[in-house]
Amino acid sequence: MTAVLAIDAGTTSVRTIAFDEGARPFAMSRREFTQHFPAPGWVEHDASEIWDAAQATLADVTAQLDEPPAAIGVTNQRETVVRWSRSRSEPLERAIVWQDRRTAARCAELTDDGLLPLVRERTGLVLDPYFSASKLEWLLQNSAVPTNSDLAVGTIDSWIIWNLTGGVVHATDATNASRTMLFDIGALAWSSELCALFGVPRDALPDVRPSSGDFGVTAPGAACGAGVPIRGVAGDQQAALFGQAAFRPGDAKNTYGTGSFVLMNVGSAPPEPVEGLLTTVAWLLEGPTDPDPTYALEGAIFATGATVQWLRDGLDIIEDASELEALAAQCSSTGGVFLVPAFAGLGSPYWDPHARGTIVGLTRGTGRPEIARAAIEAMVYQTRDVIEAMTAGTGAELRSLRVDGGASAMDSMLQLQADHLGVPIRRPKLQETTALGAAYLAGLAADVWPSTTEIAELWQLDLAVEPSASRATVDAAYADWKRAVERSRSWTSSQRTPTSS
C-alpha cells in the first residue's frame, strides 16, 4: 500500500498520520507537549520536546507500514519562532509561541512611527505581536548568544525539517514565510528592508521553497528510516484550506482549533489590503516555468479550543472537551451572558492586543450550562465578525463555508453558525484536513496524486447545515455580542499586561 505521512506539529501536540492513495487515514500517533507560561501574556514551547514528539509519533506510525512511505509532508503551528545552533542542532532557548503578547508595546511603537503601511504593503499582515518578526527581534535583543554563521532561525516547520534531514536542509515554504512579517508576498522573497527593521540577519533565515516541492530526504537516525523524501510543507491553516480542496477563488473554510481561522481563496494575485484581515500565501506550487502562487484572505481568531481548555483546566466547568455541547444543551439560552475570550487579546477584525477576556451579563441564575453555551456562541460570533469584514472588504458574497477542527463536531454549533452567516455550512467526512493538506502537497510532488482536480474529487460531505433562524433574532443577539466586545476592549493603560521582564 502506498503511504504518504503527514507530521502535524500543532500548538499543543504533534501527530503523525499515514494516508493511502484514497486519502484515507489508516495509522495515527499523537503526543502532547508542555505549555510554558513564564509571565502574564507570555507563551513558550520547548522545541526539543516538539522534535522528540515528532520522532516518537513517526516511529509509532512507521512501525505499522508494510513498506517505506512515498513521501512526508509537514504542517505546523505558524508564527512560533525558534532559534538554534547549526553546529549542535540544539535550540538556544524556548520557542516563543504565536499566542505570546510580550512584544505588544514594540508593535504599537512601530505603528506610531508610521510603519504599518510598509508592513501591510510588503507582507499583507498587520503590526501585531502574533507574527514572528517582533518575537525574533525580542530574542535577538535579550540574549547573549552572538549572531553569527552558527545561528539558524525559523518557524516550527524549519526546525522539524532541519532535524529530519540531519541538518542538511534549512528551509521553509512560502506559506510559513508569509506569516513572519519578514517576507514580501508579492516578490515571494525575504524583504531586506523588514529584516533590517527588526534586526534579523538574512543568512540565519531558511531558504523559501514551494509548498509542494523538494525539502530533502530523511537522514540516518530519523524514526521513519533514511532516504524518505520530504515533499510538502505548509502552515496549518493553509494546509487545511488545501485539504478542504478549496481550489477556486471564493472557496472558504473555517478551522475551529486552538483558535479559529477563516481563509478564503482569492486567486493568483494578492488583493489590496482589507481592513481587519490578513493577506497570506495560500500555497505555492511548481508551475511549468516558475512557481505558481495562490493567495488567501484570512481572519485569525485567537481563542476557540483555547476557551474550552480554560473551561476545563481553569474553571473546572468540564472534565473533558467532549462534554461541552451536552452541558450547554441543559439551557435554552445563556440568559444574556456573553463570553469574549480575549485571553491573548483580540485578532481579526479588531487586532487589539490589549483586550482581555470578559464575561458580561452574569446573574444569580447563571450556572455552568450558561457559561458553556456562551463559550460555544463566542465561536460563532467571532466567525461572523471575520466573515462580515471579509465580504465587506472584497464585495464577494460567501456561498458556503467548509468547516473542520475539533469544535466542528458540535452539530448545534454548526446550526447556529449557519443561522448567523445565512449560508450553508459543510463538514467533510474526514476531519483531519490539516494533516491531509500536508499529505496532498507531498503526494503531488511525489506523483501519488497527479493534480488538484483528482484531489478535489476525493472530498466527501459528512453534514450540510442550512440556516433556519430568523434574521431579526440572530442580528439582535449579534448586536449584544458587539457591545460585549467593546467591554473587553475598554482596558485602561494602567491595567495592561507588562511587555517585558
Side-chain angles (χ1 to χ4, degrees):
M1 176 190 297
T2 299
V4 178
L5 303 189
I7 300 172
D8 181 358
T11 305
T12 59
S13 67
V14 177
R15 300 178 304 162
T16 295
I17 303 177
F19 295 91
D20 66 15
E21 292 174 283
R24 293 176 291 264
F26 66 91
M28 192 271 281
S29 178
R30 176 177 179 270
R31 294 286 190 281
E32 289 192 0
F33 52 83
T34 308
Q35 309 294 303
H36 299 275
F37 307 99
W42 294 27
V43 189
E44 298 177 351
H45 289 159
D46 182 340
S48 292
E49 187 180 3
I50 292 174
W51 169 239
D52 289 344
Q55 279 278 72
T57 58
L58 264 178
D60 288 347
V61 170
T62 302
Q64 301 176 57
L65 304 182
D66 296 328
E67 58 187 47
I72 293 175
V74 177
T75 184
N76 54 287
Q77 54 164 311
R78 305 172 303 172
E79 299 92 22
T80 297
V81 66
V82 187
R83 297 194 316 157
W84 68 92
S85 161
R86 295 176 189 262
S87 59
R88 301 193 308 274
S89 290
E90 294 177 356
L92 300 176
E93 63 274 302
R94 287 183 192 151
I96 300 183
V97 180
W98 61 271
Q99 298 162 314
D100 190 283
R101 312 305 287 173
R102 75 185 67 181
T103 60
R106 173 58 172 158
C107 291
E109 175 188 348
L110 292 168
T111 300
D112 292 342
D113 289 344
L115 289 163
L116 179 58
L118 169 67
V119 169
R120 288 290 275 163
E121 179 187 354
R122 294 284 192 278
T123 72
L125 308 178
V126 297
L127 273 165
D128 189 89
Y130 175 37
F131 305 105
S132 308
S134 62
K135 304 177 194 298
L136 184 52
E137 179 187 50
W138 189 94
L139 286 173
L140 292 167
Q141 292 178 350
N142 288 272
S143 173
V145 177
T147 300
N148 55 33
S149 60
D150 191 48
L151 176 67
V153 300
T155 43
I156 294 296
D157 60 305
S158 300
W159 169 245
I160 289 176
I161 292 165
W162 174 270
N163 284 284
L164 281 173
T165 62
V168 172
V169 176
H170 183 32
T172 188
D173 88 302
T175 71
N176 279 293
S178 74
R179 310 300 295 188
T180 62
M181 211 154 62
L182 298 170
F183 188 72
D184 187 325
I185 62 171
L188 297 174
W190 296 116
S191 166
S192 298
E193 194 171 5
L194 291 174
C195 286
L197 175 65
F198 289 100
V200 177
R202 171 62 187 86
D203 291 345
L205 289 166
D207 295 333
V208 181
R209 302 183 181 183
S211 311
S212 182
D214 186 356
F215 292 86
V217 298
T218 57
C224 58
V228 179
I230 306 162
R231 292 293 181 265
V233 177
D236 53 8
Q237 300 312 317
Q238 290 98 325
L241 188 69
F242 203 86
Q244 285 276 28
F247 301 138
R248 301 174 303 166
D251 287 349
K253 71 88 191 174
N254 190 17
T255 296
Y256 302 86
T258 302
S260 284
F261 298 89
V262 184
L263 272 74
M264 177 185 287
N265 183 328
V266 293
S268 59
E272 290 298 315
V274 174
E275 184 67 28
L277 299 178
L278 311 174
T279 303
T280 194
V281 177
W283 48 76
L284 185 64
L285 303 182
E286 292 278 18
T289 56
D290 297 306
D292 182 19
T294 295
Y295 294 90
L297 280 179
E298 175 173 336
I301 298 163
F302 293 158
T304 299
T307 306
V308 180
Q309 291 175 330
W310 176 69
L311 295 180
R312 181 193 66 191
D313 303 333
L315 297 188
D316 292 328
I317 282 179
I318 54 176
E319 292 185 1
D320 188 85
S322 62
E323 301 171 8
L324 183 64
E325 185 175 26
L327 177 60
Q330 293 178 20
C331 61
S332 58
S333 77
T334 67
V337 173
F338 291 85
L339 191 166
V340 183
F343 305 116
L346 288 170
S348 301
Y350 307 101
W351 293 108
D352 185 349
H354 300 297
R356 287 295 176 263
T358 304
I359 302 177
V360 299
L362 294 172
T363 70
R364 283 292 300 273
T366 302
R368 293 169 57 246
E370 287 77 17
I371 299 296
R373 189 178 185 92
I376 292 173
E377 291 184 357
M379 302 175 190
V380 170
Y381 294 135
Q382 290 181 103
T383 302
R384 179 171 173 177
D385 286 342
V386 169
I387 292 294
E388 289 203 346
M390 197 170 280
T391 55
T394 62
E397 290 298 322
L398 186 71
R399 297 187 299 268
S400 66
L401 184 68
R402 293 187 174 186
V403 298
D404 52 68
S408 70
M410 294 189 290
D411 293 355
S412 61
M413 188 275 287
L414 297 185
Q415 181 62 66
L416 189 61
Q417 191 74 83
D419 292 340
H420 271 270
L421 297 183
V423 299
I425 305 297
R426 304 193 182 281
R427 184 176 68 200
K429 287 186 177 180
L430 179 59
Q431 284 288 292
E432 303 291 355
T433 55
T434 300
L436 180 59
Y440 279 153
L441 289 166
L444 275 175
D447 296 324
V448 175
W449 296 288
S451 70
T452 56
T453 300
E454 283 74 15
I455 288 173
E457 293 173 354
L458 295 172
W459 193 93
Q460 293 183 306
L461 178 68
D462 174 55
L463 177 69
V465 181
E466 300 289 334
S468 62
S470 74
R471 294 307 305 172
T473 299
V474 297
D475 287 349
Y478 184 62
D480 289 338
W481 159 260
K482 298 289 280 187
R483 284 190 284 272
V485 169
E486 288 310 308
R487 295 286 185 88
S488 80
R489 301 184 69 189
S490 62
W491 206 249
T492 66
S493 59
S494 63
Q495 294 170 312
R496 289 176 177 172
T497 299
T499 57
S500 63
S501 57

